[in-house]
Amino acid sequence: MKFYIACDHAGFDIKDSVIKILEDFGNEVVNLGTNSKERVDYPDFAHKLSEAVLKDKGSQGVLICGTGIGMSLSANKHKGIRAALCHDAYTATMARAHNDANVLCFGERVVGLGVVSSIVQAWCDTSFEGGRHANRVQKIEL
Ligand code: RB5
């Protein structure tokens, strides 16, 4: 799987570890910034990543901010992006299996590296189940 990853200043400290986790699971990762602790606006990075994922069919994204909330709100403004704010392996599994989510969001100030690792593993290990969920996912778009 090819992943784009982006964060704001509040997600910067954990981003390199997340890139390594994704690569260790055999994924290709493209880093879209930010690349320092200097304050930035999370929507700028959520929009940049969402556009990249939509252009690159079949790719997925990871967005990190302080809570994951601002990133998920911003990414979900893009038609075709289904960004899921995940707090644990269960929500990550369900986001993929039932919602066909294509952008994983979480908050560096909410989850530690151990939980993040289990979130990413669950996300990578889970495919969309389709079936009764496919119609529901289609209905998300207005
Ligand atoms: C930055 O302080 C913080 O507001 C941002 O990272 C994010 O948590 C917003 O949803």
Side-chain angles (χ1 to χ4, degrees):
M1 178 64 64
K2 181 172 178 184
F3 280 91
Y4 292 90
I5 189 167
C7 65
D8 71 355
H9 54 287
F12 170 72
D13 280 342
I14 208 170
K15 186 180 62 177
D16 282 349
S17 301
V18 177
I19 291 173
K20 184 162 185 338
I21 292 166
L22 283 165
E23 287 176 342
D24 286 349
F25 290 147
N27 300 293
E28 178 189 349
V29 186
V30 179
N31 175 17
L32 298 179
T34 190
N35 293 310
S36 78
K37 295 278 281 179
E38 192 180 328
R39 282 201 182 98
V40 292
D41 297 332
Y42 58 81
D44 295 339
F45 290 87
H47 294 319
K48 185 177 179 185
L49 179 135
S50 298
E51 283 163 15
V53 167
L54 289 170
K55 265 191 206 143
D56 193 351
K57 202 170 159 39
S59 68
Q60 296 185 354
V62 176
L63 287 168
I64 316 162
C65 62
T67 59
I69 296 171
M71 286 296 199
S72 54
L73 290 173
S74 306
N76 277 318
K77 293 293 178 187
H78 294 256
K79 188 175 165 63
I81 292 293
R82 290 176 299 281
L85 174 55
C86 298
H87 296 300
D88 47 37
Y90 179 73
T91 47
T93 298
M94 288 300 117
R96 289 289 306 124
H98 287 191
N99 309 115
D100 198 18
N102 52 8
V103 175
L104 166 63
C105 304
F106 55 83
E108 182 189 297
R109 294 172 180 166
V110 181
V111 285
L113 194 51
V115 173
V116 166
S117 181
S118 65
I119 287 172
V120 172
Q121 179 152 15
W123 182 278
C124 292
D125 282 350
T126 310
S127 300
F128 180 47
E129 284 177 11
R132 69 185 189 281
H133 302 293
N135 188 43
R136 295 167 185 164
V137 169
Q138 273 175 13
K139 282 186 171 183
I140 292 173
E141 301 282 0
L142 294 173

